[in-house]
Amino acid sequence: MDASRFSEYFNHIVSVEIPMSLECNLRCKYCYITDPHFKTTPVSLVEVNRVIDAVLECFPAYQKEGETGIIPWGAEPGCNWAVIEEALRYAFSLPIPSRIVTGWSTNLTILNRRMLDFIREYCDRITSLQVSIDGDEEVHDYSRRTVNGNGTYRIVRSNLDLLLKECECLASRIVYKSTLHPEQLELLHYSKAVEFFLTELKLKTDPVTIVNDRPYTRSQVSGLKESFDILKKRWDKIKAKNEDAMIGYFRKIMQPDEYHCSAYKTQVAVDINGNIYPCHEPTTSSSFSKNAFLLGNVFNKTVNPKGIMVTINLKYNISAFRTPLCKNCEVYHIAPQLCFPCPFDALRSTSSPFLFPISSCYARKAIVEKYQEWMNDGLL
């Protein structure tokens, strides 16, 4: 396919994720990467730079003035930092019209002098650094454990303190990610995690989320409701410590425009073989996902219009919400953004990009129910 045809389909893309590390030192309970290959495979600098060269040649935005992104994606970037650092230095040095910026997600169990020096040197090029920390030690260590089964909270907190101390320039651009497994709801970990972020880390809004790709039992949904009740009882004390405190899910309901997905809107992922996907998830998913959501290839400049249409229809047309079941649901009318019908979540939970476990809907209904209750009580 000629370059103009490729440009037609990808002219709007301004950022590309590249799997510069396919190794991870953790085995988190809720991890969506189920194939060990994508947690134990070395990636070389030659492979990464070859992808970078093709990306810059193929995607028009990189040949125009403005900011464009080259995003190192894990499993865990720290496991292959030497390659990532050199690849980013290479990208930053290329004489192209656009100014390349970056950012990455990390479990922050690995932080050394070389990484700190790089962050300080290129701080103006790092738009964000997402740190995965689920809550206090009890909450965090439930899921986020090493290959040997050891908890990681203490090393993460120690590294976070070091990062904030030595890279003050980045402090305002650190984004926190917290994910809870359904089992944790029965343990009331949701309330503990929310309070941790609002009172200990003093965030204005907690980042705590529950997974979309697992079924929920009645007792787990009940545990989620109980956590909201606990937070409600403690809300005055929480606000006394942080007057700007807001529960993340409630903010998502009240300000939905702040939350969006960039997959094939402004960003795509390109794997080491040059295959283009809407985001990094299909690169570590089943062969069905790879085929269904393949958008093209940067090495031979091909485009797969069928994969693009599948992505648009499944991810952004929200076809599930057209069903009578959804149209009669209060979540659909009050906060459809909570459902986030990501086809990759659906694939993992039901083996179909079209179907979602109905039990996960009950968890979202519980959130909306509690939101309405808090609104009626004048707490929001």
Side-chain angles (χ1 to χ4, degrees), residues 308-380:
I308 291 173
M309 291 307 299
V310 167
T311 297
I312 293 172
N313 284 322
L314 285 180
K315 192 159 183 63
Y316 297 115
N317 283 351
I318 315 181
S319 56
F321 286 174
R322 297 174 183 157
T323 67
L325 180 65
C326 293
K327 285 186 177 180
N328 293 325
C329 174
E330 61 182 343
V331 178
Y332 171 79
H333 295 287
I334 297 173
Q337 65 274 16
L338 286 187
C339 302
F340 192 65
C342 177
F344 312 122
D345 289 339
L347 266 174
R348 289 192 300 275
S349 58
T350 66
S351 299
S352 167
F354 306 96
L355 302 175
F356 291 82
I358 191 67
S359 61
S360 68
C361 295
Y362 295 137
R364 272 74 194 169
K365 285 185 177 182
I367 295 170
V368 169
E369 175 187 315
K370 291 303 175 181
Y371 165 75
Q372 293 175 311
E373 181 182 300
W374 283 48
M375 283 288 288
N376 292 336
D377 290 342
L379 296 175
L380 300 175

Side-chain angles (χ1 to χ4, degrees), residues 33-239:
I33 304 175
T34 57
D35 187 341
H37 170 79
F38 297 107
K39 295 180 182 179
T40 58
T41 301
V43 179
S44 71
L45 181 60
V46 171
E47 289 176 305
V48 175
N49 283 354
R50 181 174 179 240
V51 175
I52 290 175
D53 287 339
V55 164
L56 270 53
E57 179 183 352
C58 290
F59 292 94
Y62 293 88
Q63 300 303 323
K64 302 174 184 178
E65 291 188 355
E67 284 193 349
T68 52
I70 294 292
I71 310 301
W73 176 77
E76 169 50 39
C79 290
N80 201 29
W81 180 254
V83 166
I84 290 175
E85 177 183 338
E86 292 306 314
L88 289 176
R89 288 184 185 276
Y90 171 71
F92 295 158
S93 70
L94 293 172
I96 59 174
S98 72
R99 181 176 184 269
I100 292 179
V101 296
T102 191
W104 61 91
S105 300
T106 175
N107 60 40
L108 208 61
T109 58
I110 302 171
L111 185 67
N112 53 44
R113 181 55 50 190
R114 182 172 181 174
M115 298 169 75
L116 290 168
D117 289 344
F118 177 87
I119 291 171
R120 280 197 300 268
E121 182 179 354
Y122 290 102
C123 198
D124 64 325
R125 298 257 192 170
I126 302 172
T127 58
S128 68
L129 182 64
Q130 181 174 273
V131 175
S132 294
I133 179 170
D134 288 346
D136 62 17
E137 187 167 5
E138 176 190 348
V139 175
H140 180 92
D141 285 350
Y142 185 87
S143 291
R144 303 193 67 81
R145 294 180 173 272
T146 67
V147 175
N148 296 324
N150 298 319
T152 58
Y153 174 82
R154 295 187 183 186
I155 185 65
V156 172
R157 283 306 306 269
S158 177
N159 284 341
L160 178 60
D161 291 343
L162 179 62
L163 179 65
L164 292 171
K165 177 183 177 181
E166 299 221 4
C167 302
E168 294 182 9
C169 62
L170 194 65
S172 63
R173 283 168 271 164
I174 292 179
V175 179
Y176 298 93
K177 183 173 188 273
S178 168
T179 306
L180 300 185
H181 190 279
E183 294 173 357
Q184 294 180 262
L185 300 185
E186 291 182 274
L187 302 174
L188 306 180
H189 280 185
Y190 179 78
S191 59
K192 294 178 181 179
V194 168
E195 187 162 357
F196 167 82
F197 285 104
L198 296 180
T199 61
E200 186 161 340
L201 294 191
K202 295 291 196 299
L203 302 187
K204 291 183 178 181
T205 305
D206 73 85
V208 184
T209 59
I210 57 177
V211 297
N212 291 311
D213 61 352
R214 311 289 165 93
Y216 288 81
T217 65
R218 289 186 178 182
S219 59
Q220 290 166 355
V221 175
S222 295
L224 178 61
K225 291 182 178 181
E226 187 176 349
S227 274
F228 277 110
D229 293 339
I230 292 171
L231 288 168
K232 186 177 179 182
K233 292 177 182 177
R234 294 187 54 78
W235 197 238
D236 285 343
K237 293 182 179 180
I238 292 173
K239 293 287 280 187

Side-chain angles (χ1 to χ4, degrees), residues 6-46:
F6 190 95
S7 175
E8 177 185 343
Y9 283 94
F10 296 105
N11 189 55
H12 57 292
I13 299 301
V14 297
S15 184
V16 174
E17 293 179 295
I18 301 173
M20 300 186 191
S21 173
L22 290 177
E23 298 173 89
C24 188
N25 58 337
L26 302 190
R27 294 297 181 267
C28 300
K29 193 175 184 68
Y30 46 65
C31 185
Y32 63 87
I33 304 175
T34 57
D35 187 341
H37 170 79
F38 297 107
K39 295 180 182 179
T40 58
T41 301
V43 179
S44 71
L45 181 60
V46 171

